[in-house]
């Protein structure tokens, strides 16, 4: 259903034109963009903004346009639009038994109301958003199944026949643990606990995984031993899995990492992070929340295994108190959280609502947080949570700020970024936003991309652990000596070389002076739009990060128009041409906003429109 080919806009317009011209041959054809003679609030029945026919002058069909679909075809159209499957034989029979044509059309309206409350409608919203956003899974960082993101160490069960059969141990680096021994032959540590991945059960950890020591030992690049603090360093070397084993992830597959890596596994973390934005869209529609929460809200949805990724990101920033927080994995703590209709409340696998700042406090609850690295020397507290724009799937799938900005404009503002035709530009020297042919797009992309700087990836994942995702300039961890600007070892790899190449002072993406950059190298991470720039005609209020971007596209009206167009395409089978049907689009947007930006009232109004009933 979600992949069906939509009729081209010109075909729908042609049909609409034909139906008008045979009634009103003396009028010029102005298309569906002319707008209605009544404002949306004067039109409670959900009639269209354009292409409205006068009723017939008499006869048994008076008041019904000649090309209105039969009741059975209207039922079929409604079923396909709202749930992706045609009506059943029983539904056709019930419609036929309803009585005359008026009763059968009333059956369609009742069918729409009923379907909007069924789990199939949630599934339709999810599939619509999944195709719309088209967010890829987090890419491999080495050979599959290495993709990073988890920031937890892989543990596996000891095999049957070993002294510690059934106990959990580190997959690598503790070869004698299942024999109950340390590498030196002394007895290995053992610990029983309630694990985060299986609440209500007891798991036995053995060997290094069971360690509760405050410090551990690892080795630097030269092979020399280094003492680390386990609470902040994570489960490296001989540090343990921590309380409830939250620093580790349990692997039950044939090879560690595959069950989380493979997209065939609906509970695999790699798939979950890619689906989160689309699931949030469906959640908002299902629970009648305003659609602006998709990018302005501080909450999201996700099962336990997805929320673990956010907790690990907070722990990577040394917020060690998260080790003792069980609100994300103990069912009694989230028993009342709103969930998707396909699961029950309290189910750890349900797509349940959660506060993003509660899982990773570096994503702030504050809605107006401002931070200017040109004038402030203290560490940044974080960036405000911004719905899908601060989801780990969105940020990790698009690893560069300009790609994030471009995709966010395309997805959420329906911007079309096309190359120029037949234009001449000034010579390119150092700033693609103001020089060379690339400025055609970069003048639009860079004011968006500036909001997406403070998230990156360092290193390669190995069995769930190894890759880290710094938020530069935030907290106490993600800072480096000024030497990082030289790209010399150990700053000779990504993301440092990227930052050094593209975060140059006096450019559209980095609007600071050279003196400011020299005084504070972290000033290059400026991530709000200064007042001398604008995005879609809007001037920023100074809010940093993706939330600052979200505020701008909402204020411009682009977000509302974009959501309306995609919902219209799902229900009506075609997009709205913003150039040729401007009046029609604005009337639909006004109806959407009047309905609280909620999906169900707007979808209902579309199914009541004359265009829907006529198959246009």
């Amino acid at each position: 259903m979600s992949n069906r080919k939509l009729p081209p806009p010109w075909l729908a317009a042609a049909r609409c034109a034909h139906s008008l011209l045979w009634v009103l041959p003396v009028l010029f054809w102005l298309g569906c963009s002319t707008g209605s003679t009544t404002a949306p609030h004067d039109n409670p029945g959900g009639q269209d903004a354009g292409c409205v026919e006068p009723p017939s002058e008499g006869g048994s069909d008076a008041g019904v346009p000649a090309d209105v679909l039969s009741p059975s075809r209207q039922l079929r159209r409604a079923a396909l639009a709202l749930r992706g499957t045609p009506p059943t034989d029983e539904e056709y029979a019930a419609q036929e038994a309803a009585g005359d044509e008026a009763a059968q059309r009333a059956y369609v309206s009742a069918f729409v109301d009923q379907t909007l409350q069924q789990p199939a409608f949630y599934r339709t919203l999810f599939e619509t958003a999944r195709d719309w956003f088209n967010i890829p899974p987090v890419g491999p960082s080495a050979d599959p199944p290495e993709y990073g993101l988890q920031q937890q160490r892989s543990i596996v069960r000891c095999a049957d026949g070993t002294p510690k059969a059934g106990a959990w141990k580190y997959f690598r680096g503790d070869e004698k643990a299942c024999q109950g021994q340390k590498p030196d032959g002394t007895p290995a540590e053992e610990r029983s606990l309630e694990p985060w991945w299986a609440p209500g059960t007891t798991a036995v950890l053995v060997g290094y995984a069971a360690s509760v020591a405050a410090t551990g030992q690892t080795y630097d690049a030269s092979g020399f031993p280094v003492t680390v603090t386990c609470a902040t360093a994570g489960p490296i070397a001989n540090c343990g899995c921590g309380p409830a084993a939250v620093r580790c992830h349990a692997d039950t597959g044939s090879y560690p990492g595959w069950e989380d890596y493979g997209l065939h596994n609906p509970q695999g973390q790699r798939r979950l992070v890619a689906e989160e934005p689309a699931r949030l869209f469906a959640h908002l529609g299902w629970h009648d929340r305003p659609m602006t929460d998709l990018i302005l809200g501080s909450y999201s949805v996700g099962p336990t295994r997805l929320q673990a990724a956010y907790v690990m990101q907070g722990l990577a920033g040394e917020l060690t108190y998260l080790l003792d927080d069980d609100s994300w994995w103990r069912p009694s703590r989230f028993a009342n959280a709103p969930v998707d209709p396909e699961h029950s409340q309290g189910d750890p696998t349900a797509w349940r609502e959660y506060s993003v700042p509660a899982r990773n406090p570096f994503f702030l609850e504050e809605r107006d947080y401002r931070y200017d690295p040109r004038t402030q020397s203290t560490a940044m507290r974080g960036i405000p949570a911004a719905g899908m724009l601060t989801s780990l799937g969105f940020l990790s799938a698009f690893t560069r700020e300009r790609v994030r900005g471009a995709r966010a404009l395309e997805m959420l503002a329906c911007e079309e970024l096309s190359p120029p035709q037949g234009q001449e530009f000034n010579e390119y020297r150092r700033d693609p936003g103001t020089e060379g042919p690339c400025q055609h797009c970069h003048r639009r992309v860079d004011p968006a991309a500036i909001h997406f700087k403070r998230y990156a990836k360092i290193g390669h994942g190995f069995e769930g652990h190894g890759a880290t995702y710094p938020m530069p300039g935030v907290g106490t961890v993600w800072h480096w000596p000024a030497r990082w600007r030289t790209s010399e070892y150990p700053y000779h790899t990504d993301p440092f070389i990227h930052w050094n190449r593209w975060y140059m002072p006096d450019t559209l993406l980095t609007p600071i002076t050279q003196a400011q950059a020299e005084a504070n190298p972290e000033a290059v991470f400026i991530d709000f739009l200064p007042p001398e720039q604008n995005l879609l005609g809007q001037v920023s209020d100074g809010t940093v990060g993706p939330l600052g971007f979200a505020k701008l596209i909402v204020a411009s009206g682009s977000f509302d128009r974009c959501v309306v167009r995609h919902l219209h395409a799902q229900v009506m089978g075609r997009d709205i041409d913003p150039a040729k049907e401007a009046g029609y689009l604005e009337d639909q947007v006004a109806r959407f906003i009047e309905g609280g930006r909620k999906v169900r009232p707007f979808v209902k109004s579309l199914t009541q429109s004359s265009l829907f009933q006529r198959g246009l």
Side-chain angles (χ1 to χ4, degrees):
M1 181 277 302
S2 61
N3 291 322
R4 68 184 186 276
K5 186 175 182 181
L6 304 182
W10 64 263
L11 179 57
R15 290 173 178 168
C16 192
H18 175 76
S19 64
L20 277 174
L21 288 175
W22 75 270
V23 177
L24 302 172
V26 298
L27 295 181
F28 291 105
W29 168 238
L30 298 178
C32 296
S33 63
T34 55
S36 66
T37 57
T38 58
H41 59 270
D42 296 326
N43 201 6
Q47 297 301 307
D48 304 286
C51 294
V52 178
E53 288 184 358
S56 303
E57 294 183 356
S60 60
D61 293 328
V64 179
D67 60 349
V68 167
L69 298 176
S70 67
S72 63
R73 290 189 65 192
Q74 285 187 20
L75 178 63
R76 175 180 173 84
R77 190 177 196 198
L80 289 173
L82 302 185
R83 72 184 187 197
T85 59
T88 63
D89 291 343
E90 291 76 11
E91 288 167 338
Y92 277 130
Q95 184 186 37
E96 184 69 22
D100 60 14
E101 183 171 328
Q104 292 183 24
R105 296 190 188 281
Y107 178 91
V108 177
S109 180
F111 171 85
V112 169
D113 290 335
Q114 182 182 22
T115 305
L116 288 174
Q117 302 298 325
Q118 293 176 343
F121 180 61
Y122 168 89
R123 173 61 59 169
T124 296
L125 290 178
F126 164 62
E127 292 179 351
T128 297
R130 183 176 56 184
D131 293 345
W132 166 11
F133 301 154
N134 194 26
I135 294 176
V138 178
S141 61
D143 296 333
E146 316 303 352
Y147 72 98
L149 203 65
Q150 286 177 319
Q151 302 188 76
Q152 294 169 299
R153 191 165 173 180
S154 178
I155 55 176
V156 296
R157 285 186 182 274
C158 292
D160 293 340
T162 61
K164 299 299 180 180
W168 295 91
K169 65 171 288 287
Y170 285 147
F171 177 64
R172 295 183 188 272
D174 201 5
E175 307 306 326
K176 294 184 178 182
C178 290
Q179 305 299 321
Q181 299 177 359
K182 293 181 179 180
D184 61 5
T186 59
E189 294 181 74
E190 188 172 320
R191 183 161 61 106
S192 297
L193 47 73
E194 181 184 12
W196 71 268
W197 66 85
T201 68
T202 298
V204 177
L205 305 182
V206 66
Y208 291 151
S211 175
V212 293
T215 60
Q217 189 176 77
T218 186
Y219 297 89
D220 62 19
S222 301
F224 291 100
V226 177
T227 299
V228 296
T229 301
C230 291
T232 57
I236 62 174
N238 55 354
C239 286
C241 289
V246 298
R247 286 287 201 175
C248 298
H249 67 97
D251 268 299
T252 59
S254 58
Y255 182 84
W258 273 109
E259 63 179 334
D260 274 321
Y261 178 87
L263 298 179
H264 60 276
N265 180 9
Q267 289 300 315
Q269 193 190 74
R270 186 167 177 249
R271 174 168 165 177
L272 295 177
V273 296
E275 287 187 356
E276 183 178 5
R279 291 284 185 176
L280 178 57
F281 178 89
H283 182 86
L284 298 176
W286 181 255
H287 289 282
D288 293 322
R289 307 287 180 80
M291 195 49 66
T292 44
D293 282 2
L294 181 69
I295 58 174
L296 295 180
S298 63
Y299 64 93
S300 187
V301 292
T304 295
R305 188 173 291 191
L306 171 61
Q307 293 186 37
Y310 288 84
V311 176
M312 295 311 115
Q313 176 71 2
L315 288 172
E318 298 191 354
L319 300 179
T320 56
Y321 65 86
L322 294 173
L323 287 168
D324 298 312
D325 178 20
D326 64 356
S327 64
W328 60 278
W329 62 266
R330 191 179 296 280
S332 61
R333 298 291 303 276
F334 53 80
N336 297 319
V339 300
D340 67 277
E342 297 170 340
H343 295 84
S344 59
Q345 287 182 309
D347 184 345
T349 66
W351 287 90
R352 65 181 183 268
E353 191 173 308
Y354 71 95
S355 166
V356 175
R359 301 293 168 261
N360 177 7
F362 293 117
F363 291 131
L364 307 176
E365 182 68 45
E366 188 174 341
R367 302 291 83 194
D368 299 298
Y369 181 61
R370 296 172 176 84
Y371 179 88
D372 190 340
R374 299 171 298 183
T375 59
Q376 294 175 252
S377 58
T378 57
M380 193 178 189
R381 290 196 289 112
I383 57 176
M388 66 168 283
L389 293 175
T390 48
S391 69
L392 298 186
F394 177 83
L395 294 173
S396 300
F398 305 118
T399 58
R400 299 286 190 252
E401 67 293 319
R402 282 184 168 120
V403 179
R404 293 170 189 151
R407 290 294 291 120
L409 284 172
E410 292 169 335
M411 277 190 279
L412 302 169
C414 286
E415 285 286 285
E416 295 184 7
L417 303 173
S418 303
Q421 297 291 331
Q423 299 183 41
E424 292 187 7
F425 296 91
N426 57 332
E427 182 182 358
Y428 173 74
R429 295 181 182 275
R430 61 190 296 273
D431 182 11
T434 59
E435 301 163 348
C438 293
Q439 67 181 284
H440 178 83
C441 289
H442 278 272
R443 280 188 178 276
R444 301 158 69 192
V445 170
D446 285 12
I450 194 174
H451 299 89
F452 293 95
K453 286 182 172 182
R454 293 190 188 263
Y455 186 86
K457 179 185 177 184
I458 295 178
H460 301 286
F462 184 68
E463 289 156 7
H465 195 63
T468 59
Y469 293 84
M471 300 175 67
V474 172
T476 61
V477 178
W478 297 307
H479 307 271
W480 303 274
R483 190 162 59 89
W484 72 266
R485 285 296 280 173
T486 66
S487 292
E488 297 176 355
Y489 179 86
Y491 309 110
H492 62 296
T493 59
D494 270 346
F496 301 103
I497 55 175
H498 171 76
W499 295 337
N500 288 332
R501 180 177 182 183
W502 292 113
Y503 294 2
M504 295 184 293
D506 297 311
T507 60
L508 201 62
L509 183 65
T510 309
I512 64 173
T513 65
Q514 183 64 40
Q516 290 169 333
E518 291 174 355
N520 176 18
E522 289 184 0
V524 299
F525 296 117
I526 182 173
D527 62 339
F528 68 93
L529 201 61
E532 62 269 18
Q533 295 187 36
N534 72 82
L535 179 65
L536 301 176
Q538 303 300 308
V539 177
S540 173
D541 68 353
T543 301
V544 299
L547 183 61
F549 167 84
K551 288 183 175 182
L552 292 170
I553 65 171
V554 170
S556 72
S558 299
F559 176 76
D560 290 321
R561 288 190 291 272
C562 195
V563 173
V564 163
R565 288 174 60 183
H566 281 278
L567 290 175
H568 188 278
Q570 172 59 38
V571 177
M572 304 294 286
R574 72 172 185 90
D575 192 3
I576 303 175
D577 189 322
K580 297 180 180 179
E581 301 176 283
Y584 178 59
L585 175 58
E586 293 308 315
D587 281 356
Q588 297 298 332
V589 169
R591 184 179 296 122
F592 176 64
I593 294 175
E594 280 194 1
R597 293 185 169 97
K598 299 176 182 179
V599 169
R600 280 196 182 101
F602 182 66
V603 168
K604 174 69 174 180
S605 73
L606 290 176
T607 63
Q608 293 177 316
S609 66
S610 63
L611 291 183
F612 184 88
Q613 294 169 5
R614 290 161 54 195
L616 297 175

